[in-house]
Amino acid sequence: MTDITRFSGHTVMITGAARGIGAATARRFAEEGARVLLTDRDGPEVETTAARLRKQGHTARARACDVSDGASVEEAVAHAVDVFGALDVLVNCAASCTPDTPLFEDGPDAAWDRDLDITLTGTYRCCRAALPHLATTGRGAIVNIGSVNGLQDFGNHAYSAAKAGLGSLTRTLAGHAAARGVRVNLVTPGTVRTSAWEGREEELDEIRSLYPLGRVGEPEDIAAAVAFLASGDAAWITGTALTVDGGLTAVNTGFRTAVRHPDDD
C-alpha cells in the first residue's frame, strides 16, 4: 500500500488486468488515487479483480475486452471516457505466449498469428483508439509492457518477436504523439511470479540463481515502474524502455560463476 496520490483525478485503462502484472498495476494506480478501468478477455475474472478494489474503497470498473477485436477495443475506450469523463493513461498488458514446438519448422501459422495479433497488434489497436482521448488531457501517457524476450534469446519465437516489435512501436509512436502532448514508454520485465508459473516452483527456484539481485520479480515490481513512467515524475521521458529485470540482461551471472577469480577460493 502506498500513500502517494500522483494520480488523483486521473483515469487509467489497463488491458490484461484480470490477474498478474495487469491486476497489480490496476491496484497500484487505484492506491495512488486513479479511477481505473480494468479490461480483460476474461470478463468474470476481471470483474472479480475490480470488485476487490472497490471493496478496498477504490474507484474501479471492469469491462470485457478482446484486444484482437478492434470493435471491442473501441467500445472499451469509449466506456472509460463515458464513465469517467476522460482518459489520461493507457497501460497495455494483454499478451499471448504460445509454447514453441521442438522444431522451429513445425510451428503452426495459427500460433504465430495469435501471439503477434494479441501482443503487438492488440497494443496497436488500443493505442489507436485511445490516443485522441489521451491527447485532450494535457497529461496523456501510454505505457506498454514488453519483455526481456524482446532483447535476448529466452525462447518463444512468436512472443519474443511481438515483444521486440513493441519496442519499435513505442519509439515510433512516441515520436508521433509528442507533439500531441502524449508520452509513450515501455517497461521490459524479466521473469515475474504470476499464475503462468503455478506448479513450477522448482523451476522458479532454479531461475532465481540467474538473477544478480537474487530473486525473480513480483507483479508489484513492474506496477511500480509503470506508475513512475505514467506519472508527472517522468514528465521529460518518452520513447524509452525501462528494463526491470533484477540485472538479468546486464550481468551474465552464469559466466561470472563459471569464470571465478583465483582469489575467490
Side-chain angles (χ1 to χ4, degrees):
M1 182 72 178
T2 177
D3 59 1
I4 303 172
T5 55
R6 291 179 294 187
F7 298 101
S8 179
H10 289 59
T11 296
V12 180
M13 174 176 157
I14 303 166
T15 70
R19 62 190 75 83
I21 292 171
T25 299
R27 183 168 62 252
R28 178 67 184 238
F29 277 107
E31 289 175 349
E32 292 202 34
R35 303 168 301 210
V36 184
L37 178 66
L38 294 79
T39 73
D40 198 281
R41 188 176 56 180
D42 189 334
E45 186 168 1
V46 77
E47 173 55 40
T48 298
T49 304
R52 190 177 303 120
L53 291 177
R54 290 195 296 270
K55 189 175 181 180
Q56 296 168 355
H58 303 303
T59 303
R61 297 286 189 93
R63 186 174 180 91
C65 176
D66 181 353
V67 300
S68 68
D69 180 342
S72 180
V73 169
E74 294 279 354
E75 290 166 3
V77 170
H79 183 71
V81 175
D82 289 344
V83 171
F84 296 123
L87 181 61
D88 300 285
V89 177
L90 170 68
V91 182
N92 290 299
C93 290
S96 173
C97 182
T98 305
D100 289 336
T101 54
L103 292 178
F104 179 82
E105 58 267 33
D106 292 335
D109 283 356
W112 177 271
D113 292 343
R114 172 182 169 80
D115 283 7
L116 265 69
D117 188 42
I118 293 175
T119 308
L120 178 56
T121 309
T123 296
Y124 160 76
R125 292 185 185 102
C126 292
C127 293
R128 182 180 62 186
L131 187 57
H133 302 284
L134 297 171
T136 67
T137 69
R139 56 191 184 192
I142 297 172
V143 183
N144 299 321
I145 305 299
S147 171
V148 293
N149 283 58
L151 304 176
Q152 296 182 10
D153 172 28
F154 295 101
N156 300 112
H157 304 297
Y159 173 80
S160 298
K163 290 296 190 179
L166 283 180
S168 179
L169 176 62
T170 297
R171 291 187 295 272
T172 57
L173 184 54
H176 168 82
R180 302 171 70 177
V182 179
R183 298 180 300 104
V184 188
N185 290 294
L186 182 79
V187 174
T188 307
T191 305
V192 178
R193 192 189 307 275
T194 66
S195 59
W197 291 93
E198 286 181 2
R200 302 167 64 187
E201 286 74 17
E202 290 186 7
E203 192 173 349
L204 275 181
D205 284 342
E206 293 181 11
I207 291 172
R208 178 175 56 81
S209 66
L210 301 176
Y211 282 83
L213 290 182
R215 66 175 178 87
V216 299
E218 301 295 337
E220 292 74 17
D221 294 317
I222 311 307
V226 172
F228 163 67
L229 286 174
S231 76
D233 292 333
W236 208 47
I237 300 175
T238 196
T240 196
L242 176 57
T243 303
V244 186
D245 71 348
L248 177 69
T249 55
V251 180
N252 190 327
T253 304
F255 183 86
R256 289 173 64 89
T257 301
V259 184
R260 301 178 63 190
H261 191 278
D263 294 338
D264 290 344
D265 295 324

mmCIF file of all heavy atoms in Angstrom, residues 165-201:
data_model
loop_
_atom_site.group_PDB
_atom_site.id
_atom_site.type_symbol
_atom_site.label_atom_id
_atom_site.label_comp_id
_atom_site.label_asym_id
_atom_site.label_seq_id
_atom_site.Cartn_x
_atom_site.Cartn_y
_atom_site.Cartn_z
ATOM 1 N N GLY A 165 8.802 -6.118 -31.279
ATOM 2 C CA GLY A 165 8.024 -5.161 -32.057
ATOM 3 C C GLY A 165 7.451 -4.042 -31.208
ATOM 4 O O GLY A 165 7.336 -2.898 -31.660
ATOM 5 N N LEU A 166 7.094 -4.369 -29.966
ATOM 6 C CA LEU A 166 6.578 -3.337 -29.065
ATOM 7 C C LEU A 166 7.622 -2.264 -28.792
ATOM 8 O O LEU A 166 7.279 -1.090 -28.598
ATOM 9 C CB LEU A 166 6.123 -3.961 -27.745
ATOM 10 C CG LEU A 166 4.794 -4.692 -27.752
ATOM 11 C CD1 LEU A 166 4.500 -5.253 -26.367
ATOM 12 C CD2 LEU A 166 3.668 -3.767 -28.192
ATOM 13 N N GLY A 167 8.892 -2.662 -28.760
ATOM 14 C CA GLY A 167 9.949 -1.664 -28.573
ATOM 15 C C GLY A 167 9.966 -0.669 -29.711
ATOM 16 O O GLY A 167 10.060 0.553 -29.498
ATOM 17 N N SER A 168 9.837 -1.168 -30.941
ATOM 18 C CA SER A 168 9.823 -0.282 -32.108
ATOM 19 C C SER A 168 8.560 0.567 -32.125
ATOM 20 O O SER A 168 8.615 1.785 -32.376
ATOM 21 C CB SER A 168 9.915 -1.119 -33.387
ATOM 22 O OG SER A 168 9.871 -0.290 -34.532
ATOM 23 N N LEU A 169 7.411 -0.044 -31.853
ATOM 24 C CA LEU A 169 6.158 0.714 -31.828
ATOM 25 C C LEU A 169 6.205 1.819 -30.775
ATOM 26 O O LEU A 169 5.739 2.939 -31.014
ATOM 27 C CB LEU A 169 4.984 -0.227 -31.546
ATOM 28 C CG LEU A 169 3.614 0.439 -31.396
ATOM 29 C CD1 LEU A 169 3.222 1.154 -32.684
ATOM 30 C CD2 LEU A 169 2.562 -0.591 -30.999
ATOM 31 N N THR A 170 6.788 1.524 -29.629
ATOM 32 C CA THR A 170 6.904 2.531 -28.571
ATOM 33 C C THR A 170 7.694 3.732 -29.056
ATOM 34 O O THR A 170 7.301 4.887 -28.842
ATOM 35 C CB THR A 170 7.560 1.924 -27.325
ATOM 36 O OG1 THR A 170 6.719 0.883 -26.810
ATOM 37 C CG2 THR A 170 7.802 2.969 -26.250
ATOM 38 N N ARG A 171 8.798 3.487 -29.736
ATOM 39 C CA ARG A 171 9.641 4.597 -30.203
ATOM 40 C C ARG A 171 8.949 5.410 -31.294
ATOM 41 O O ARG A 171 8.954 6.643 -31.264
ATOM 42 C CB ARG A 171 10.980 4.057 -30.700
ATOM 43 C CG ARG A 171 11.860 3.494 -29.603
ATOM 44 C CD ARG A 171 13.235 3.120 -30.119
ATOM 45 N NE ARG A 171 13.189 2.016 -31.084
ATOM 46 C CZ ARG A 171 13.237 0.734 -30.751
ATOM 47 N NH1 ARG A 171 13.285 0.372 -29.475
ATOM 48 N NH2 ARG A 171 13.224 -0.211 -31.680
ATOM 49 N N THR A 172 8.377 4.733 -32.285
ATOM 50 C CA THR A 172 7.765 5.469 -33.389
ATOM 51 C C THR A 172 6.519 6.224 -32.927
ATOM 52 O O THR A 172 6.279 7.363 -33.354
ATOM 53 C CB THR A 172 7.408 4.540 -34.554
ATOM 54 O OG1 THR A 172 6.525 3.496 -34.104
ATOM 55 C CG2 THR A 172 8.665 3.899 -35.142
ATOM 56 N N LEU A 173 5.733 5.612 -32.054
ATOM 57 C CA LEU A 173 4.537 6.294 -31.563
ATOM 58 C C LEU A 173 4.921 7.468 -30.657
ATOM 59 O O LEU A 173 4.252 8.508 -30.667
ATOM 60 C CB LEU A 173 3.632 5.315 -30.821
ATOM 61 C CG LEU A 173 2.288 5.881 -30.339
ATOM 62 C CD1 LEU A 173 1.512 6.516 -31.482
ATOM 63 C CD2 LEU A 173 1.462 4.787 -29.667
ATOM 64 N N ALA A 174 5.990 7.305 -29.888
ATOM 65 C CA ALA A 174 6.455 8.414 -29.050
ATOM 66 C C ALA A 174 6.807 9.619 -29.908
ATOM 67 O O ALA A 174 6.497 10.767 -29.555
ATOM 68 C CB ALA A 174 7.656 7.983 -28.222
ATOM 69 N N GLY A 175 7.434 9.377 -31.048
ATOM 70 C CA GLY A 175 7.782 10.471 -31.944
ATOM 71 C C GLY A 175 6.557 11.177 -32.489
ATOM 72 O O GLY A 175 6.522 12.401 -32.600
ATOM 73 N N HIS A 176 5.539 10.394 -32.831
ATOM 74 C CA HIS A 176 4.311 10.988 -33.354
ATOM 75 C C HIS A 176 3.518 11.700 -32.268
ATOM 76 O O HIS A 176 2.995 12.804 -32.483
ATOM 77 C CB HIS A 176 3.430 9.893 -33.974
ATOM 78 C CG HIS A 176 2.043 10.355 -34.288
ATOM 79 N ND1 HIS A 176 1.732 11.042 -35.439
ATOM 80 C CD2 HIS A 176 0.881 10.253 -33.587
ATOM 81 C CE1 HIS A 176 0.443 11.342 -35.439
ATOM 82 N NE2 HIS A 176 -0.102 10.869 -34.329
ATOM 83 N N ALA A 177 3.411 11.076 -31.098
ATOM 84 C CA ALA A 177 2.498 11.563 -30.061
ATOM 85 C C ALA A 177 3.055 12.736 -29.266
ATOM 86 O O ALA A 177 2.289 13.442 -28.599
ATOM 87 C CB ALA A 177 2.150 10.421 -29.106
ATOM 88 N N ALA A 178 4.361 12.956 -29.321
ATOM 89 C CA ALA A 178 4.960 14.017 -28.504
ATOM 90 C C ALA A 178 4.346 15.376 -28.795
ATOM 91 O O ALA A 178 4.046 16.158 -27.882
ATOM 92 C CB ALA A 178 6.471 14.051 -28.729
ATOM 93 N N ALA A 179 4.137 15.666 -30.070
ATOM 94 C CA ALA A 179 3.567 16.955 -30.444
ATOM 95 C C ALA A 179 2.120 17.094 -29.973
ATOM 96 O O ALA A 179 1.590 18.213 -29.907
ATOM 97 C CB ALA A 179 3.634 17.141 -31.958
ATOM 98 N N ARG A 180 1.512 15.969 -29.623
ATOM 99 C CA ARG A 180 0.121 15.979 -29.167
ATOM 100 C C ARG A 180 0.043 15.909 -27.640
ATOM 101 O O ARG A 180 -1.028 15.745 -27.068
ATOM 102 C CB ARG A 180 -0.633 14.814 -29.802
ATOM 103 C CG ARG A 180 -0.598 14.864 -31.316
ATOM 104 C CD ARG A 180 -1.133 13.619 -31.974
ATOM 105 N NE ARG A 180 -2.576 13.492 -31.814
ATOM 106 C CZ ARG A 180 -3.285 12.498 -32.360
ATOM 107 N NH1 ARG A 180 -2.676 11.577 -33.101
ATOM 108 N NH2 ARG A 180 -4.600 12.444 -32.170
ATOM 109 N N GLY A 181 1.209 16.015 -26.990
ATOM 110 C CA GLY A 181 1.245 16.054 -25.536
ATOM 111 C C GLY A 181 1.114 14.703 -24.865
ATOM 112 O O GLY A 181 0.773 14.639 -23.676
ATOM 113 N N VAL A 182 1.394 13.637 -25.597
ATOM 114 C CA VAL A 182 1.264 12.285 -25.045
ATOM 115 C C VAL A 182 2.630 11.610 -25.035
ATOM 116 O O VAL A 182 3.346 11.596 -26.045
ATOM 117 C CB VAL A 182 0.281 11.432 -25.871
ATOM 118 C CG1 VAL A 182 0.176 10.017 -25.304
ATOM 119 C CG2 VAL A 182 -1.098 12.089 -25.906
ATOM 120 N N ARG A 183 3.004 11.069 -23.890
ATOM 121 C CA ARG A 183 4.258 10.333 -23.766
ATOM 122 C C ARG A 183 4.001 8.842 -23.923
ATOM 123 O O ARG A 183 2.961 8.331 -23.496
ATOM 124 C CB ARG A 183 4.910 10.598 -22.409
ATOM 125 C CG ARG A 183 5.273 12.057 -22.190
ATOM 126 C CD ARG A 183 5.929 12.309 -20.846
ATOM 127 N NE ARG A 183 5.052 11.935 -19.736
ATOM 128 C CZ ARG A 183 5.183 10.829 -19.007
ATOM 129 N NH1 ARG A 183 6.160 9.971 -19.258
ATOM 130 N NH2 ARG A 183 4.346 10.575 -18.016
ATOM 131 N N VAL A 184 4.970 8.122 -24.524
ATOM 132 C CA VAL A 184 4.831 6.687 -24.766
ATOM 133 C C VAL A 184 6.115 5.993 -24.345
ATOM 134 O O VAL A 184 7.195 6.328 -24.850
ATOM 135 C CB VAL A 184 4.551 6.382 -26.255
ATOM 136 C CG1 VAL A 184 4.228 4.903 -26.446
ATOM 137 C CG2 VAL A 184 3.423 7.261 -26.793
ATOM 138 N N ASN A 185 6.016 5.073 -23.409
ATOM 139 C CA ASN A 185 7.192 4.364 -22.911
ATOM 140 C C ASN A 185 6.914 2.875 -22.764
ATOM 141 O O ASN A 185 5.763 2.421 -22.864
ATOM 142 C CB ASN A 185 7.621 4.961 -21.569
ATOM 143 C CG ASN A 185 8.208 6.353 -21.724
ATOM 144 O OD1 ASN A 185 9.269 6.537 -22.317
ATOM 145 N ND2 ASN A 185 7.505 7.361 -21.206
ATOM 146 N N LEU A 186 7.985 2.135 -22.511
ATOM 147 C CA LEU A 186 7.927 0.678 -22.432
ATOM 148 C C LEU A 186 8.586 0.211 -21.145
ATOM 149 O O LEU A 186 9.643 0.732 -20.758
ATOM 150 C CB LEU A 186 8.683 0.073 -23.626
ATOM 151 C CG LEU A 186 8.719 -1.447 -23.767
ATOM 152 C CD1 LEU A 186 7.408 -1.953 -24.347
ATOM 153 C CD2 LEU A 186 9.884 -1.855 -24.690
ATOM 154 N N VAL A 187 7.965 -0.746 -20.470
ATOM 155 C CA VAL A 187 8.606 -1.436 -19.352
ATOM 156 C C VAL A 187 8.964 -2.835 -19.822
ATOM 157 O O VAL A 187 8.133 -3.528 -20.434
ATOM 158 C CB VAL A 187 7.679 -1.498 -18.123
ATOM 159 C CG1 VAL A 187 8.299 -2.356 -17.024
ATOM 160 C CG2 VAL A 187 7.410 -0.101 -17.593
ATOM 161 N N THR A 188 10.186 -3.244 -19.554
ATOM 162 C CA THR A 188 10.697 -4.528 -20.033
ATOM 163 C C THR A 188 10.984 -5.439 -18.845
ATOM 164 O O THR A 188 12.072 -5.383 -18.254
ATOM 165 C CB THR A 188 11.983 -4.314 -20.859
ATOM 166 O OG1 THR A 188 11.730 -3.349 -21.886
ATOM 167 C CG2 THR A 188 12.449 -5.607 -21.493
ATOM 168 N N PRO A 189 10.033 -6.288 -18.458
ATOM 169 C CA PRO A 189 10.244 -7.153 -17.290
ATOM 170 C C PRO A 189 11.063 -8.393 -17.611
ATOM 171 O O PRO A 189 11.079 -8.891 -18.740
ATOM 172 C CB PRO A 189 8.811 -7.566 -16.889
ATOM 173 C CG PRO A 189 7.897 -6.712 -17.715
ATOM 174 C CD PRO A 189 8.658 -6.360 -18.946
ATOM 175 N N GLY A 190 11.717 -8.901 -16.564
ATOM 176 C CA GLY A 190 12.282 -10.240 -16.611
ATOM 177 C C GLY A 190 11.238 -11.221 -16.113
ATOM 178 O O GLY A 190 10.038 -10.997 -16.242
ATOM 179 N N THR A 191 11.691 -12.322 -15.534
ATOM 180 C CA THR A 191 10.774 -13.328 -15.013
ATOM 181 C C THR A 191 9.985 -12.765 -13.837
ATOM 182 O O THR A 191 10.560 -12.260 -12.884
ATOM 183 C CB THR A 191 11.542 -14.570 -14.537
ATOM 184 O OG1 THR A 191 12.356 -15.054 -15.614
ATOM 185 C CG2 THR A 191 10.594 -15.668 -14.087
ATOM 186 N N VAL A 192 8.667 -12.855 -13.926
ATOM 187 C CA VAL A 192 7.790 -12.340 -12.880
ATOM 188 C C VAL A 192 6.906 -13.476 -12.373
ATOM 189 O O VAL A 192 6.350 -14.243 -13.161
ATOM 190 C CB VAL A 192 6.919 -11.171 -13.403
ATOM 191 C CG1 VAL A 192 5.968 -10.682 -12.324
ATOM 192 C CG2 VAL A 192 7.813 -10.031 -13.896
ATOM 193 N N ARG A 193 6.768 -13.561 -11.072
ATOM 194 C CA ARG A 193 5.971 -14.628 -10.460
ATOM 195 C C ARG A 193 4.478 -14.344 -10.668
ATOM 196 O O ARG A 193 3.870 -13.566 -9.947
ATOM 197 C CB ARG A 193 6.269 -14.719 -8.967
ATOM 198 C CG ARG A 193 5.710 -15.966 -8.282
ATOM 199 C CD ARG A 193 5.861 -15.858 -6.772
ATOM 200 N NE ARG A 193 7.226 -15.555 -6.384
ATOM 201 C CZ ARG A 193 8.185 -16.479 -6.221
ATOM 202 N NH1 ARG A 193 7.914 -17.748 -6.403
ATOM 203 N NH2 ARG A 193 9.404 -16.099 -5.874
ATOM 204 N N THR A 194 3.895 -14.948 -11.694
ATOM 205 C CA THR A 194 2.477 -14.811 -11.989
ATOM 206 C C THR A 194 1.844 -16.193 -12.075
ATOM 207 O O THR A 194 2.526 -17.215 -11.889
ATOM 208 C CB THR A 194 2.255 -14.066 -13.320
ATOM 209 O OG1 THR A 194 2.755 -14.876 -14.395
ATOM 210 C CG2 THR A 194 2.952 -12.713 -13.321
ATOM 211 N N SER A 195 0.554 -16.233 -12.404
ATOM 212 C CA SER A 195 -0.144 -17.512 -12.488
ATOM 213 C C SER A 195 0.428 -18.411 -13.577
ATOM 214 O O SER A 195 0.236 -19.631 -13.545
ATOM 215 C CB SER A 195 -1.637 -17.281 -12.743
ATOM 216 O OG SER A 195 -1.836 -16.558 -13.948
ATOM 217 N N ALA A 196 1.150 -17.843 -14.526
ATOM 218 C CA ALA A 196 1.771 -18.658 -15.576
ATOM 219 C C ALA A 196 2.807 -19.620 -15.007
ATOM 220 O O ALA A 196 3.155 -20.630 -15.647
ATOM 221 C CB ALA A 196 2.422 -17.752 -16.624
ATOM 222 N N TRP A 197 3.297 -19.340 -13.792
ATOM 223 C CA TRP A 197 4.319 -20.167 -13.167
ATOM 224 C C TRP A 197 3.748 -21.086 -12.085
ATOM 225 O O TRP A 197 4.513 -21.745 -11.379
ATOM 226 C CB TRP A 197 5.415 -19.289 -12.566
ATOM 227 C CG TRP A 197 6.220 -18.597 -13.622
ATOM 228 C CD1 TRP A 197 6.018 -17.355 -14.133
ATOM 229 C CD2 TRP A 197 7.352 -19.130 -14.322
ATOM 230 N NE1 TRP A 197 6.947 -17.068 -15.096
ATOM 231 C CE2 TRP A 197 7.781 -18.140 -15.222
ATOM 232 C CE3 TRP A 197 8.042 -20.344 -14.252
ATOM 233 C CZ2 TRP A 197 8.871 -18.336 -16.067
ATOM 234 C CZ3 TRP A 197 9.131 -20.537 -15.088
ATOM 235 C CH2 TRP A 197 9.534 -19.536 -15.984
ATOM 236 N N GLU A 198 2.449 -21.141 -11.953
ATOM 237 C CA GLU A 198 1.851 -22.010 -10.941
ATOM 238 C C GLU A 198 2.224 -23.469 -11.211
ATOM 239 O O GLU A 198 2.164 -23.944 -12.345
ATOM 240 C CB GLU A 198 0.321 -21.860 -10.941
ATOM 241 C CG GLU A 198 -0.147 -20.559 -10.318
ATOM 242 C CD GLU A 198 -1.658 -20.432 -10.310
ATOM 243 O OE1 GLU A 198 -2.329 -21.390 -10.769
ATOM 244 O OE2 GLU A 198 -2.156 -19.386 -9.869
ATOM 245 N N GLY A 199 2.634 -24.171 -10.153
ATOM 246 C CA GLY A 199 3.061 -25.559 -10.284
ATOM 247 C C GLY A 199 4.477 -25.721 -10.790
ATOM 248 O O GLY A 199 4.933 -26.850 -11.015
ATOM 249 N N ARG A 200 5.195 -24.619 -10.955
ATOM 250 C CA ARG A 200 6.566 -24.675 -11.487
ATOM 251 C C ARG A 200 7.531 -24.008 -10.511
ATOM 252 O O ARG A 200 8.499 -23.380 -10.899
ATOM 253 C CB ARG A 200 6.615 -23.975 -12.844
ATOM 254 C CG ARG A 200 5.675 -24.563 -13.875
ATOM 255 C CD ARG A 200 5.511 -23.671 -15.092
ATOM 256 N NE ARG A 200 6.748 -23.503 -15.839
ATOM 257 C CZ ARG A 200 6.885 -22.670 -16.864
ATOM 258 N NH1 ARG A 200 5.858 -21.913 -17.248
ATOM 259 N NH2 ARG A 200 8.043 -22.574 -17.500
ATOM 260 N N GLU A 201 7.270 -24.178 -9.217
ATOM 261 C CA GLU A 201 8.077 -23.518 -8.185
ATOM 262 C C GLU A 201 9.541 -23.944 -8.239
ATOM 263 O O GLU A 201 10.447 -23.126 -8.024
ATOM 264 C CB GLU A 201 7.492 -23.791 -6.804
ATOM 265 C CG GLU A 201 6.211 -23.027 -6.481
ATOM 266 C CD GLU A 201 5.005 -23.582 -7.227
ATOM 267 O OE1 GLU A 201 5.093 -24.739 -7.722
ATOM 268 O OE2 GLU A 201 3.995 -22.877 -7.327
#
